[in-house]
Amino acid sequence: MTLSEWWSRRPERGGREALAYIGAQLAGAVAGALLAEAMFGRTPGAWATEPRAALHLLLGEAVATAGLVLVVQGLRHIGRPALAPVAVAGYIGAAIWFTSSGSFANPAATVGRSSPTPSPGSPPPRCPPSPPRSSSGCWAAWF
C-alpha cells in the first residue's frame, strides 16, 4: 500500500516519505514478531520453518493485494478516503477467508514473519517470492 500511495501521488510528494514508512514498517514487523515469540515463551529470533512458496499462494497474495489497492484507491476516487482505515481492516479480514492469503500482502509482515517462528512463519529462503507477489497484485490493480 505504501508504494501504491506513493505511485498515485508521486507528482505531489518525493520518495522520502515512502522510504520512511517502509523503514518504520520493517522495524515494526520485526519487533512485533520478536515480541510475539517472547509472549509465547519461545526464544526470540529463531528462523521460521513453514514453507510458503507455492504458485497457488502467489496467486492468492496477488488477488488479496490487488483487492486491497482497489479498495483504497477506489475510496480516494469517490472522495471518501476517511473510510480507508475501516475498509482496509474489513477487506483484510475478509481476504483471509476468500483467498489463500495469510495476510502476507504486506512485504514488511513477510520480513517480520520470517525471523521468528510463529505458526504462519516462512523460512527466509522461501520469503523472496512474497514481496514480488504482493507487488504483482498492486500493479494488477493499477492496470
Side-chain angles (χ1 to χ4, degrees):
M1 282 310 310
T2 300
L3 292 178
S4 170
E5 284 294 304
W6 169 78
W7 183 260
S8 67
R9 296 180 177 191
R10 67 190 183 286
E12 303 167 19
R13 299 178 175 175
R16 277 191 175 169
E17 187 176 351
L19 289 175
Y21 274 110
I22 290 169
Q25 289 169 348
L26 290 172
V30 171
L34 293 172
L35 179 61
E37 287 295 313
M39 287 190 298
F40 286 97
R42 297 181 183 171
T43 304
W47 290 110
T49 58
E50 182 68 31
R52 296 197 177 267
L55 186 59
H56 70 280
L57 296 174
L58 183 143
L59 178 61
E61 294 303 327
V63 168
T65 303
L68 185 59
V69 170
L70 288 171
V71 165
V72 173
Q73 296 300 330
L75 286 171
R76 180 180 304 131
H77 181 73
I78 65 169
R80 307 286 305 267
L83 295 176
V86 173
V88 166
Y91 180 81
I92 289 173
I96 290 172
W97 290 95
F98 73 81
T99 70
S100 59
S101 175
S103 253
F104 282 92
N106 181 347
T110 303
V111 171
R113 286 180 173 181
S114 70
S115 46
T117 58
S119 61
S122 296
R126 302 291 175 100
C127 281
S130 194
R133 62 184 163 206
S134 298
S135 298
S136 66
C138 178
W139 290 115
W142 270 99
F143 300 104

